[in-house]
Structures are given as structure tokens and as C-alpha cells.
Amino acid sequence: SSDVCSSDLAYRVDYSRGEFQGFGFAGVHGKAANFTENVIDVGTGEVIGQPNSRLDLFEFDAYFIRGDVTVQGQLSLGQQKKASITPAADGSLRDSRWWGLSALAAYKFDPRLEGIVRMDYLNNKKNGGGLLGYTSADDRNGIGPDINGDLDKGATRSALSLGMSYAINMETTLKAEYRIDRANLPVFFDVKSGGYRKSNQIFGTSVVVAF
């Protein structure tokens, strides 16, 4: 098979309604790498090729930014041919499909300090799950099915993030974030027990320096 990416359609449209608000949408339609379809050399067992498969992505987003307040939202839908995490009973590849919502609200308590809240929801049930770039289960990010359960159903998951951004000076910003992930299936690997659970917590900090 020489299913090589020959042409793609990518577009982005934005509209600003006045000074403080606007919306836009974007899409990609074409072919992308499908990591479930590695071509194997039968003599050596090495991967010698990476076919592509049909990909369709569409996103809609909107924003409101005025003074100390920022509000943003996004809706995403996607599918990729023969890219699901779980194949059919006969071993044939199936399509991956997903959709998600994301919302963010931020408030500047003063010119230096900003608080941020973000909520995300991902519906990824079809054929054991699967996203762009995720054609196998990922137990760190909670993508895929319950490995000890029904492999045909991928996890539906959500995340709540609480963040802070503090401008130390004109060039340096300190950022911190706490995030809790939840899923309807035990898809997060627990290092302590060696098993899987339905929730995960992350805390991180970073320093951003601009030149």
C-alpha cells in the first residue's frame, strides 16, 4: 500500500465582534500518520513504513477579554480511519472518534497576579478510544479502555485545573498549576499499588523568561 499523504485541506476563520469578544473555527481534512498500521519487514521484524489514514478535525472557539476578566471556550470534534485503540474481534482496524469541550476563566487580582480556572471534558468511548497521535492506550493521560474490562469502550474523562501566574518583572513570570483528572474507567496507572484508578492528580510549577 502506498497510502501517502498527497493533499490536505486546512482552514481557520476568525471574527472579532467589537473590541472585547470574538469567535472562530478551524478544521483539517486529509491524511495523517496512523500508528496502528506500521508496515513490518517480515524478514527482520523492523518497521519499514508508516501509512497514513483519513483524518477529519473541526474546532470552534470563542473568547471575551475585558479589563481583568478573560473567558474562553472551545468545542472539538474529530475522527480518524482505522486508528482506534481496540481492533475488531477478527483483528481488523476500526475508526477512532472523539469530541470534547474546554472552558477557561481568568481574573487579574492586580497587574502582576492572575488566577486561572480551566475545565475540560473528553468523550472518547468509540472502539476503545483513540485520538490524533493516540492509537494505543496511555495510562499516564488516561486515554483508552479499562485493560481489565471491556476493551471496546474507551474512557470518558474530565479535568479541573487551578492555576496562578505571577509576573516577577517584565521578562520573568512564575506559573503554578494543580490539576485533577477523573474518568469513568480505571485508566490511570497508580505507581504505589501497581494497579489502575479512576482519578489522577498533578502539581507543577514553571518559570517563563522572555527575551
Side-chain angles (χ1 to χ4, degrees):
S1 167
S2 59
D3 195 12
V4 180
C5 180
S6 57
S7 63
D8 291 306
L9 171 64
Y11 53 88
R12 171 79 198 182
V13 176
D14 289 285
Y15 174 76
S16 296
R17 185 180 179 184
E19 184 180 354
F20 309 109
Q21 57 189 316
F23 64 87
F25 60 88
V28 175
H29 309 279
K31 291 185 177 180
N34 184 346
F35 298 100
T36 64
E37 292 189 299
N38 288 315
V39 177
I40 307 297
D41 186 317
V42 294
T44 64
E46 296 181 354
V47 177
I48 59 175
Q50 181 59 68
N52 300 335
S53 66
R54 174 76 187 192
L55 170 71
D56 292 285
L57 289 173
F58 181 81
E59 295 184 348
F60 173 84
D61 54 81
Y63 69 90
F64 175 85
I65 302 174
R66 185 168 187 175
D68 298 326
V69 177
T70 297
V71 179
Q72 298 173 337
Q74 184 181 65
L75 166 67
S76 301
L77 304 97
Q79 65 177 12
Q80 187 173 3
K81 294 289 186 181
K82 298 183 178 181
S84 68
I85 290 176
T86 304
D90 63 0
S92 60
L93 300 175
R94 299 186 291 181
D95 300 345
S96 61
R97 294 177 184 172
W98 63 91
W99 65 270
L101 296 169
S102 180
L104 179 147
Y107 182 78
K108 286 191 175 182
F109 299 98
D110 61 48
R112 288 174 178 255
L113 179 63
E114 183 177 38
I116 305 167
V117 178
R118 174 171 171 163
M119 297 185 67
D120 299 281
Y121 174 83
L122 173 65
N123 187 304
N124 192 214
K125 298 185 294 184
K126 187 73 172 179
N127 297 331
L131 300 169
L132 179 60
Y134 288 90
T135 52
S136 61
D138 183 338
D139 56 17
R140 290 178 178 266
N141 293 297
I143 306 299
D146 173 6
I147 63 169
N148 297 312
D150 186 352
L151 298 181
D152 275 339
K153 293 183 179 180
T156 294
R157 62 186 305 278
S158 60
L160 172 65
S161 302
L162 305 175
M164 179 273 292
S165 176
Y166 181 76
I168 300 173
N169 52 45
M170 293 292 291
E171 293 80 26
T172 309
T173 302
L174 172 65
K175 295 185 176 183
E177 180 179 309
Y178 167 75
R179 191 182 83 200
I180 181 167
D181 300 302
R182 292 190 177 276
N184 67 328
L185 301 173
V187 289
F188 297 102
F189 180 68
D190 186 352
V191 177
K192 291 184 179 180
S193 67
Y196 291 82
R197 58 187 184 183
K198 294 183 179 181
S199 64
N200 189 48
Q201 300 182 63
I202 298 174
F203 178 76
T205 61
S206 62
V207 176
V208 180
V209 179
F211 297 94

